[in-house]
Amino acid sequence: MRPDILNPLFAEVQALKGVGPGLAKPLGRLGLARVIDLLFHLPTGWIDRRAVDDLHERDVGSIVTTVVTPTEYRMGGGPRSPSRVVAVDRGGQAVSLVFFGTSSGYAKKLLPLGEPRAISGKLEQYDVWLQMVHPDVMTPEEANALPAREPVYPLSEGLTNKRLGQMIAQAVARAPELAEWIEPSLKEKQEWPGWRAALARIHADPADGKARERLGYDEIFANQLALMLVRQSQRSRRGTPLQGDGRLRSALKLPYAPTGAQARAIAEIEGDIAQGRPMLRLLQGDVGSGKTLVATMALLAAVEAGAQGALLAPTEILARQHYESLSRMLAGLPLTVAILTGRDKGRARESTLMGLADGSIDILVGTHAIFQEAVTYRRLGLAVVDEQHRFGVAQRLLLQAKAERPPHLLVMTATPIPRTLALSHYGEMDVSRLDEMPPGRQPIETRVVSEERLDEVVEGLGRHIASGGQAYWVCPLVEESEASDLAAAETRAAALALRFGDKVALVHGRMKPAEKDAAMDRFQRGQAAVLVATTVIEVGVDVPSATLIVIEHADRFGLAQLHQLRGRVGRGGGRSVCLLLRGASLSETARARLALMRDTNDGFRIAEEDLRLRGAGEMLGTRQSGEAAFRLAAPEQVAALIETATDDARLLVEHEGGLDGPRGEAARTALYLFERDAGVARLRSG
C-alpha cells in the first residue's frame, strides 16, 4: 500500500487552487492528470533574464531585464495601430515599449507615468529607437528581484508557461520531506541535494545540473531496485526442474546445423530449466539470427520432461505465423500444437481450453489471450515471450502466474539492446546473445533515395514484379496516430493498384482479422506481388521470396525500427534490396541515421547509435506499450548512472536487509513515488 505521506502527490490536479475542468483538459493532453505529474514535468529549457542597469545597442536581440520610468504615451489612432509608451532607463536612455491589439488603458494601467517599473523582454531596434514589443514582465519590483532564469516547460494549447509554472509551484509546495534512500557516502561524493530540495531547485533554475542529476538517479535507482526485487522473488520461489531426454529434439529435421551462438544459447537454456528455481533469461539477437529455432528447442525440452510450453506473441499476425511455422517444423512428432488468440470463439476456443487443462495440448501459441483468467494449464513448465519490448514486467508475471509453480521464462527480442537499456529494462534477467547469422543469409543492400525520385522507384518496382519478384511498401509514419498511418497506407495502395492492379495487397492494424489474414495469405502464396503496409509488419512477418522493401519517409522512423522493417527481406538465399525514401530536407540527425542504415547491417551497432541519437524513450520507434519510459532521467544520465544505481540497489538488497532494513523503508517509499511498486507487490506475494 502506498505510504500516506505520498497521498497528496497522487491527488488529481483539480485539487490544486485555481485548477478546474477548463485547465484540466489541456493538462490532460500533456499527461498531467495528478499533482505528481506536474511535479515531474521538468523544464526543458529556460529564458535568461539578464539584469542590466543601462540599455545599449549591444543588447539588441537579447532578452534583458531593467528598470525604466515611463515618460510619455503615444497611443494609436485606430484599433489596429500600436500603442507606445516612451520610457527612460536609469542612465537616461530612451526606449519605446510597443503594444499591438490591446487598449490604451492596458498600457497606461501597467506603466503609469513617472513610476519606475521593472521590465523584461527582447530588446529590438526600429529606426533610431530602441524598443521592446510586448514586454513579458512589467512589475513594480526591482529588476534584480526577478529570477535570473525563467523555466520553459512543454505546453499544449490553452496553457501558458506562466500559468503552468504557477501550478507546478503549488505542486512543489505539496512535496513532503522524505527519508533518504541513497547510500550516504554516494550522495556526499556526488554532492547531490536531498530529493525535495532537488525538485525545488530544478523548477527554479533549470540549469542546475546537480539537482537534475539527483532526480534522474532517483528514478533509475527505483527502477533497478524493482527489477532486483522481482528477480529475488522469482529466484526464491520453487520451480519445476525440466530435464528432457532428447527424443523429440533428435527427431527434428533442421534445415541447417545450429550456429555456435545458437548452440551456446540452447545449452544455457537447458542448464537453466534443469534447475529447481525458475529460469529468467533474455534471448536477444539480430533480425534473422535464429531465435525461433532456439525457442523451439527449449519448448521441445519442456515437452520431453512432461511439461507444457506456451509461446506469447504481441500481435495476431505474428502469433499465427509462429503457429504455422511450428506446425510445419514439428509435423510428424508425437505432440500437439494449438493456437489461442482474442478472435478464437465458441467450440474451437472451448476445445483448446479443455486441451490445455487436461494436458493433451503440449505447446500453445497465442497473444495476450493465453494468460486470461479462463485459461488454465495442466502443467505449464516453460513460457516463451516473443518481441519482449511489446510487453511489460507485469504482463510476463501474469503468464508465470498460470502455473502452480512459476514456470521457466524465456523472453526474446529481435531488437538488439544496448547494454544500458538491457540493464534498465531487463535487469532481473540473465542474457543470451545470438551474434552469428545462419548460413545463406546475405547482407541487405540498402540505398537512400530522395522522394523526388518516386516515379523512378515505382518504375523499378515494376521491373522487379515483371521478373517474378515480391516487395513490401511501408507507408510513412506521419505522426503517432493509427488513423494517419492508415490514410497513408490506403492512399499508396490505391496509387500502386492503378499501375499494378490486383497484384497489390494492403495490411494495416485496423483491418478485421479475417481481412488481414486474407491479404497476408495472398502475399505469402505469391498471388500478390506488393504488400503495402503500416508498421504492423515490423516484427515476425516471414516471406522468403520477398526481396525488395521500400520505406517511405524513412527519415521519420527510428533506427531500430528501420532495421526491423529492413529485416522483412533478406530471409531467403537471394540478393535483397532496401530503399529508404527520404524527404527533401533532412536534419543532421536524420542524415546521420540514414547514412548508418546504408553503411551497416549490424543491428547491435545500430541499436547503440539509436540510443545515442534518439534516447531510450524513443529507441523502439513509436512508443510501445509495456515498458515505462524514464520520465526524469535523460538517456545520457541512464548511460552514466545505471551501473552506479544497480550497485546501490544490490548493496541494499543483498547486504542491508532489503526493504526491511533502515534504508529499506525510505527505498520502499521511492518505489511507490516512481511507480515501480510492482517490485514491492512481487516481494510480498513471493
Side-chain angles (χ1 to χ4, degrees), residues 96-336:
S96 177
L97 309 178
V98 185
F99 301 87
F100 291 93
T102 59
S103 68
S104 59
Y106 171 80
K108 291 177 179 179
K109 180 180 179 181
L110 289 173
L111 298 164
L113 297 181
E115 295 188 20
R117 287 290 185 269
I119 63 167
S120 185
K122 186 176 181 181
L123 190 66
E124 299 173 340
Q125 188 156 15
Y126 180 73
D127 199 8
V128 298
W129 280 90
L130 291 179
Q131 72 172 21
M132 194 178 286
V133 178
H134 283 278
D136 43 28
V137 176
M138 291 171 281
T139 170
E141 299 174 20
E142 285 295 312
N144 57 14
L146 298 175
R149 290 194 177 103
E150 179 183 323
V152 173
Y153 296 99
L155 299 172
S156 69
E157 186 179 353
L159 275 179
T160 64
N161 198 70
K162 182 178 180 180
R163 187 70 187 94
L164 183 56
Q166 291 169 342
M167 288 183 277
I168 288 173
Q170 284 193 66
V172 172
R174 277 184 166 230
E177 292 287 353
L178 298 176
E180 185 56 73
W181 48 77
I182 298 178
E183 198 278 321
S185 64
L186 172 63
K187 178 173 178 276
E188 183 180 355
K189 177 185 175 183
Q190 298 292 344
E191 298 178 343
W192 286 332
W195 173 76
R196 191 187 186 285
L199 271 174
R201 280 168 54 170
I202 199 66
H203 285 295
D205 181 2
D208 190 327
K210 286 297 180 183
R212 193 175 288 271
E213 192 177 82
R214 157 78 205 231
L215 294 172
Y217 179 83
D218 288 338
E219 187 176 31
I220 299 166
F221 171 75
N223 189 77
Q224 297 311 99
L225 178 59
L227 290 174
M228 210 160 285
L229 292 172
V230 169
R231 182 185 180 95
Q232 183 189 56
S233 170
Q234 289 298 104
R235 292 296 168 90
S236 67
R237 300 179 72 188
R238 183 72 184 167
T240 303
L242 299 177
Q243 187 79 55
D245 56 15
R247 58 190 166 80
L248 296 176
R249 285 169 288 173
S250 61
L252 192 63
K253 293 184 174 61
L254 298 177
Y256 59 85
T259 65
Q262 286 175 313
R264 185 171 62 248
I266 291 168
E268 289 168 345
I269 293 166
E270 288 176 349
D272 281 356
I273 65 176
Q275 305 302 312
R277 62 185 188 186
M279 173 178 70
L280 278 172
R281 184 166 288 276
L282 171 68
L283 176 64
Q284 61 165 319
D286 213 339
V287 177
S289 58
K291 295 178 299 301
T292 303
L293 175 60
V294 174
T296 301
M297 299 297 271
L299 289 165
L300 289 178
V303 175
E304 289 169 358
Q308 294 167 298
L311 173 56
L312 172 63
T315 66
E316 193 160 313
I317 285 180
L318 185 52
R320 294 199 174 275
Q321 185 166 292
H322 273 312
Y323 172 68
E324 290 163 8
S325 175
L326 281 174
S327 296
R328 285 194 305 270
M329 193 183 299
L330 306 181
L333 297 183
L335 54 77
T336 303

Side-chain angles (χ1 to χ4, degrees), residues 14 19 59 182 201 633 644 676:
Q14 287 172 262
V19 182
D59 297 319
I182 298 178
R201 280 168 54 170
T644 302
R676 298 302 202 273

Side-chain angles (χ1 to χ4, degrees), residues 373-390:
E373 190 174 342
V375 182
T376 58
Y377 298 79
R378 181 175 176 83
R379 191 182 179 219
L380 179 61
L382 172 66
V384 179
V385 180
D386 195 14
E387 291 307 325
Q388 164 61 24
H389 67 264
R390 303 285 182 114

Side-chain angles (χ1 to χ4, degrees), residues 472-487:
Y472 298 97
W473 190 297
V474 181
C475 291
L477 186 69
V478 180
E479 55 184 316
E480 294 190 9
S481 159
E482 281 188 24
S484 61
D485 293 353
L486 171 56

